[in-house]
Amino acid sequence: MSTNSPYADLILHWYDHHQRILPWRAKKGEAPNPYHVLLSEIMLQQTQVATVIPYFNRFIQDFPTICDLAKASLDHVMSLWTGLGYYSRARNLHQCAQQIVDQGGNIPTTINELKKLSGIGDYTAAAIYSIGFNQPAVPVDGNVERITARLFAIKESLPAIKPKLASLAKMLNQGQAAQERPGDFAQGLFDIGATICKPKNPLCLLCPLSAVCKACLDNIANDLPKRSPKAAKPIKYGISFFIQGSNNNVLFHKRPMKGVLAGTWQLPSTSWEEKVWDLPAGLKQMGYTGDWEYIGDINHVFTHFILKISLYKPIIFQDSPINAEGYAWYNLSQLDKYPCSSLMKKAIDCCL
DNA sequence: CACGCGTGGCT
DNA sequence: TAGCCAAGCGT
């Protein structure tokens, strides 16, 4: 296939003048660090650049190499991940590092080998291959889907047309320039998607692709890609208990390793149900007794439901759940050593 | 293959 | 404000 594509030259020329400076990105003329690329790509899954930057820097500080990451305890990795969300990514990343070290310590250099690693799928394998090793591939993420849908004015709805957009996107890097600079080409697509071809109010006047973009020419870029309507989010309810012991320690409970917020520590809580709890029912499920004082409510939005938690603290705590599996007393000043969700940080803030 | 899986910024 | 959506993966 030697068809020349006009897209790569335009993207690379724009990238040479407007690329973003990012901590995992090789400077001009320098070779990329595949470990930095791998780590950043895992963190960037469904997560914005500005959110990832401080997490990436803390990881590189604590784990300068993939071997350091593989040797680290899962608790260390999980606690550094606190607040970043989608916590299975952290466990898969840790496992991925161990798989790589077990295979000799070098990150695989083919897409098929990369995809065998935990937490690495089609997109991330292509991203590491193109950006980390400068090999020709088009990593198809949300940015690339959006750019592609607009370039060709595809009017059908996501997610049904994911395969169609992926197959169109894979033709974008035809031409000599993209074959010579696959990493810059891929990152150019991401930077254009993030700063120009935005989901809302795209800046077509500044876009290097405007002259070859069908949606721009038809003035419908802002309306593409279309998406099928999403199901409404149910509201779930729960009660959490703020129980302080001696030395200002607070009772925590570790969530199961599967499901929502897997493996993170939380205040002892009832199950989350699509009905409002009353306090007696909550106490009964927990096995607690005595009188409790209402502290307040917090709301938290997950991908698939909205959670409303009511917080209570005991007037006098007389039960002894510390004997139960998965419970521990932690001083709040030491909590950063343990993985904890943003939901639970919100709950604790409400109690102080 | 449709769904479960977090969080924060933007409009 | 409330919804939308982000450098997706695993099952």
Side-chain angles (χ1 to χ4, degrees):
Chain A
M1 182 70 83
S2 61
T3 310
N4 215 12
S5 150
Y7 306 109
D9 286 333
L10 295 168
I11 290 165
L12 285 165
H13 184 259
W14 179 92
Y15 186 74
D16 286 336
H17 296 278
H18 301 287
Q19 65 180 268
R20 293 176 291 178
I21 306 296
L22 301 172
W24 49 84
R25 185 172 276 182
K27 296 181 177 64
K28 285 185 186 177
E30 291 184 3
N33 180 326
Y35 168 55
H36 290 188
V37 174
L38 186 155
L39 177 60
S40 65
E41 287 301 338
I42 300 297
M43 290 182 162
L44 285 159
Q45 289 168 4
Q46 297 289 281
T47 310
Q48 315 223 45
V49 164
T51 303
V52 164
I53 287 175
Y55 286 88
F56 176 85
N57 288 332
R58 287 192 288 267
F59 265 70
I60 292 300
Q61 186 170 17
D62 280 18
F63 315 122
T65 70
I66 191 113
C67 287
D68 297 316
L69 180 58
K71 282 187 299 190
S73 70
L74 181 57
D75 267 352
H76 190 179
V77 174
M78 291 287 291
S79 61
L80 274 191
W81 200 273
T82 290
L84 197 52
Y86 285 139
Y87 295 92
S88 64
R89 289 184 298 171
R91 280 189 302 282
N92 284 332
L93 170 66
H94 188 234
Q95 188 174 8
C96 171
Q98 293 178 337
Q99 290 163 344
I100 290 168
V101 169
D102 286 346
Q103 296 166 17
N106 291 319
I107 296 175
T109 55
T110 69
I111 288 186
N112 280 341
E113 291 298 314
L114 285 164
K115 280 173 64 174
K116 292 177 184 170
L117 298 167
S118 296
I120 295 182
D122 286 336
Y123 163 77
T124 306
I128 295 169
Y129 186 69
S130 60
I131 302 171
F133 297 114
N134 208 34
Q135 297 297 313
V138 182
V140 183
D141 71 333
N143 284 308
V144 178
E145 284 180 348
R146 184 171 62 254
I147 291 170
T148 304
R150 287 172 176 170
L151 277 178
F152 303 107
I154 307 298
K155 299 188 181 66
E156 300 100 313
S157 294
L158 284 168
I161 55 165
K162 266 181 177 293
K164 177 174 182 176
L165 293 179
S167 118
L168 285 171
K170 285 182 169 61
M171 301 195 305
L172 293 179
N173 70 339
Q174 291 171 6
Q176 186 184 351
Q179 297 298 310
E180 288 173 349
R181 302 173 58 192
D184 288 347
F185 172 80
Q187 294 177 96
L189 277 175
F190 297 156
D191 282 12
I192 290 170
T195 66
I196 305 278
C197 197
K198 301 182 295 178
K200 290 297 169 192
N201 304 323
L203 306 176
C204 298
L205 289 174
L206 301 178
C207 183
L209 301 172
S210 58
V212 294
C213 176
K214 189 162 190 326
C216 180
L217 297 172
D218 294 347
N219 202 26
I220 55 172
N222 194 44
D223 304 320
L224 298 180
K226 296 188 181 304
R227 287 177 192 278
S228 303
K230 295 171 181 170
K233 294 181 182 183
I235 301 176
K236 297 190 180 186
Y237 302 85
I239 302 179
S240 293
F241 300 92
F242 186 73
I243 299 164
Q244 283 185 291
S246 56
N247 303 322
N248 276 335
N249 283 346
V250 174
L251 186 62
F252 281 87
H253 177 245
K254 190 175 188 177
R255 296 182 60 82
M257 292 307 285
K258 293 201 170 194
V260 180
L261 304 178
T264 64
W265 290 86
Q266 65 174 8
L267 297 178
S269 299
T270 66
S271 55
W272 302 339
E273 309 285 353
E274 288 188 42
K275 65 174 180 58
V276 182
W277 284 89
D278 57 35
L279 180 60
L283 292 176
K284 183 181 177 191
Q285 186 185 67
M286 302 300 291
Y288 296 163
T289 58
D291 295 324
W292 297 72
E293 177 185 345
Y294 172 72
I295 301 171
D297 283 350
I298 58 167
N299 296 325
H300 197 75
V301 181
F302 289 95
T303 306
H304 290 285
F305 60 94
I306 296 169
L307 181 65
K308 294 179 178 291
I309 294 282
S310 296
L311 292 156
Y312 286 85
K313 62 183 176 186
I315 306 297
I316 298 172
F317 187 61
Q318 55 193 9
D319 307 302
S320 54
I322 186 62
N323 296 325
E325 176 75 18
Y327 284 89
W329 297 95
Y330 290 137
N331 193 285
L332 292 183
S333 65
Q334 303 297 308
L335 200 57
D336 61 0
K337 293 188 177 140
Y338 303 94
C340 185
S341 66
S342 292
L343 161 68
M344 220 24 65
K345 290 198 178 299
K346 197 187 295 183
I348 292 163
D349 284 345
C350 180
C351 295
L352 299 178

